[in-house]
Amino acid sequence: MLYRKVPKTGEELSILGFGAMRLPMIDDKTIDEERAIAQIRNCIDNGVNYVDTAWPYHGGQSEGIVGKALKEGYREKVAIADKLPQYIVESREHMDEILNEQLRRLDVDCIDYYLIHAVEGNSWDRSVELGIKDFLDKALESGKIRYAGFSFHGVPEDFKRIVDDYPWTFCQIQYNFLDTENQAGTAGLKYAASKDIAVMIMEPLRGGNLSAPTPPDGVQDIFDQAEIKRAPVEWALRWVWNHPEVTVVLSGMNEEEHIKQNLAIASEAGANSLTDGELAIVDKVAARYKELMQVPCTGCAYCMPCPAGVRIPGCFELFNSAHMFKDKADHLKFQYAVFFSKEMAGESAYASQCVECGQCEEHCPQHIAIPEQLKRVVDYFEQDDMQDKVDMVANKQEN
């Protein structure tokens, strides 16, 4: 495992962090607790010392699982990152109540890296009005948190303003080879680093879209031009770690093979380790992905739950996949018809159920016009034979 220093403290953190937003599941609502704990501990045993969770992850279950995973001596080996859900905060007192509850869920006395979750310009201004700076000051003084930071989902000019508005130790931004100009982007990464602020990276694989073993049409041909052959996931992670301004890259690892692969890459991927030719190849791959990807959704699920029952991230994932992996389009149309049906999901979750209430757009970090994009999903997937596919599967199950 490679490590990088937090500029303001000198503390060394593993370049790979465990993101507890996509833990392994038994079904749609139930975390596979035994497996999740084993995965977290395996990462720690192999050098990972930064574990990231948040109030809303897995409907509030993630913090408790992380707390259990850090029993039996594991707490002393890692730094915990957790987040204040500013979007539900009602008052200065409410902030204290939430932090105390998070400490209870984690069963710890202190959270090492504490972030204001998913801020952008307007939400930061609102948080300031409610007393967020005093809250952070008091939490630091009391020892309930060690370091203050924020995670960002807004426009570049607001990022710089927020960076300058409090003596942050660290921040967290979305960054990958498709998001160099989106949200904070490369300019924000370099600006934060210039202020000696550690930068933690989320969505390095853009919700897994950049790590498919069989890349979309044309992408593998570009990768094959490289002298050193690498899997798509390695290209994506190495590209992020190539930036010396990056401190930790978070990965929502939930498959044992993916964990093994990520740990191996994190033992070799140093800063400035890619050649100019390799960087040029990644630039070409990024351009190809942008040609193919229909909706810039990362699968973060901040848009959920949908009041109308639409499984929004799932709809967009299948829609993007159908355009990126055209040889699988028929199979993906079958998946859409069956897996989102009432018979399979308990309650139907199709894009056509959208009532355009707009609630999802208010919470989308990517600022996607979700109702409009869902209409495209309907046009592509919801054909006349959808119910026939559902009935066929239902009949097989009965027989």
Side-chain angles (χ1 to χ4, degrees):
M1 178 61 62
L2 299 180
Y3 297 84
R4 296 186 185 181
K5 289 184 177 181
V6 175
K8 289 186 178 180
T9 69
E11 185 170 308
E12 290 193 339
L13 297 177
S14 55
I15 65 170
L16 177 65
F18 190 100
M21 187 175 80
R22 297 182 174 103
L23 298 173
M25 305 294 289
I26 295 173
D27 54 43
D28 284 347
K29 296 181 180 179
T30 309
I31 297 172
D32 188 335
E33 185 172 314
E34 181 178 351
R35 189 176 170 206
I37 290 172
Q39 289 179 350
I40 294 171
R41 291 183 174 181
N42 177 48
C43 284
I44 297 170
D45 290 338
N46 283 279
V48 170
N49 67 358
Y50 190 90
V51 178
D52 173 274
T53 184
W55 179 273
Y57 291 175
H58 288 286
Q61 299 179 72
S62 175
E63 291 165 324
I65 297 294
V66 169
K68 291 178 181 179
L70 298 185
K71 299 293 185 185
E72 302 175 16
Y74 280 89
R75 172 66 183 101
E76 291 71 31
K77 299 178 181 180
V78 301
I80 299 173
D82 205 345
K83 308 176 185 76
L84 178 79
Q86 51 78 22
Y87 35 83
I88 66 169
V89 168
E90 299 174 352
S91 65
R92 168 67 182 82
E93 294 72 26
H94 195 197
M95 299 175 193
D96 289 320
E97 293 171 5
I98 291 173
L99 174 56
N100 289 334
E101 172 60 16
Q102 290 174 307
L103 291 168
R104 187 197 67 78
R105 289 181 182 182
L106 289 163
D107 196 18
V108 297
D109 297 324
C110 172
I111 295 170
D112 303 287
Y113 288 79
Y114 197 67
L115 305 95
I116 311 306
H117 196 186
V119 298
E120 42 76 44
N122 292 331
S123 60
W124 173 246
D125 293 339
R126 175 180 174 274
S127 297
V128 170
E129 291 177 2
L130 290 174
I132 194 72
K133 294 179 183 179
D134 178 69
F135 163 73
L136 291 173
D137 289 344
K138 295 295 196 307
L140 288 163
E141 290 170 8
S142 68
K144 290 183 177 181
I145 67 173
R146 289 175 61 213
Y147 307 120
F150 67 96
S151 68
F152 182 78
H153 290 292
V155 296
E157 52 267 31
D158 284 337
F159 178 76
K160 292 183 177 181
R161 180 166 67 85
I162 295 168
V163 163
D164 292 337
D165 207 16
Y166 190 80
W168 309 104
T169 299
F170 72 112
C171 67
Q172 185 170 306
I173 65 172
Q174 177 173 313
Y175 196 58
N176 54 67
F177 64 68
L178 292 186
D179 287 319
T180 57
E181 297 181 10
N182 186 32
Q183 299 186 28
T186 302
L189 170 67
K190 293 183 178 296
Y191 187 76
S194 74
K195 302 289 185 177
D196 287 333
I197 294 175
V199 184
M200 306 349 186
I201 302 301
M202 56 184 159
E203 300 294 354
L205 304 177
R206 224 170 195 272
N209 286 320
L210 305 182
S211 61
T214 304
D217 181 38
V219 170
Q220 189 62 54
D221 292 338
I222 301 171
F223 278 141
D224 286 343
Q225 297 171 17
E227 183 176 344
I228 299 176
K229 308 306 178 186
R230 300 184 175 104
V233 63
E234 184 170 0
W235 279 108
L237 290 175
R238 278 183 176 270
W239 183 90
V240 179
W241 278 319
N242 195 64
H243 295 77
E245 300 88 354
V246 169
T247 306
V248 174
V249 173
L250 295 169
S251 178
M253 303 172 279
N254 54 27
E255 295 287 343
E256 285 72 16
E257 187 58 36
H258 295 168
I259 291 172
K260 181 180 179 180
Q261 188 176 37
N262 287 359
L263 288 168
I265 300 167
S267 69
E268 300 177 351
N272 298 315
S273 60
L274 295 180
T275 67
D276 289 343
E278 289 171 330
L279 291 172
I281 284 173
V282 176
D283 286 344
K284 291 178 182 178
V285 168
R288 181 57 182 153
Y289 266 104
K290 289 176 181 178
E291 290 174 1
L292 295 169
M293 191 171 290
Q294 300 297 302
V295 185
C297 174
T298 67
C300 71
Y302 288 174
C303 56
M304 298 296 286
C306 167
V310 180
R311 195 177 298 175
I312 299 169
C315 288
F316 289 155
E317 179 185 1
L318 291 179
F319 187 55
N320 277 332
S321 294
H323 286 80
M324 291 192 292
F325 307 100
K326 293 183 179 179
D327 58 325
K328 298 180 180 179
D330 288 342
H331 176 66
L332 291 165
K333 288 180 179 180
F334 182 87
Q335 282 190 321
Y336 179 87
V338 174
F339 291 163
F340 292 175
S341 68
K342 182 177 181 180
E343 288 82 352
M344 293 293 287
E347 294 292 338
S348 60
Y350 297 123
S352 56
Q353 295 168 210
C354 173
V355 296
E356 300 186 47
C357 67
Q359 177 177 305
C360 51
E361 285 192 76
E362 295 176 8
H363 299 290
C364 178
Q366 315 306 323
H367 309 292
I368 298 168
I370 293 175
E372 291 304 310
Q373 294 292 353
L374 287 174
K375 291 177 183 177
R376 298 179 64 204
V377 176
V378 173
D379 291 341
Y380 186 85
F381 280 121
E382 302 203 20
Q383 308 298 328
D384 293 337
D385 61 350
M386 275 182 57
Q387 191 57 48
D388 292 340
K389 293 172 178 147
V390 174
D391 291 342
M392 180 181 71
V393 173
N395 289 335
K396 283 185 177 180
Q397 290 178 334
E398 288 176 3
N399 296 330

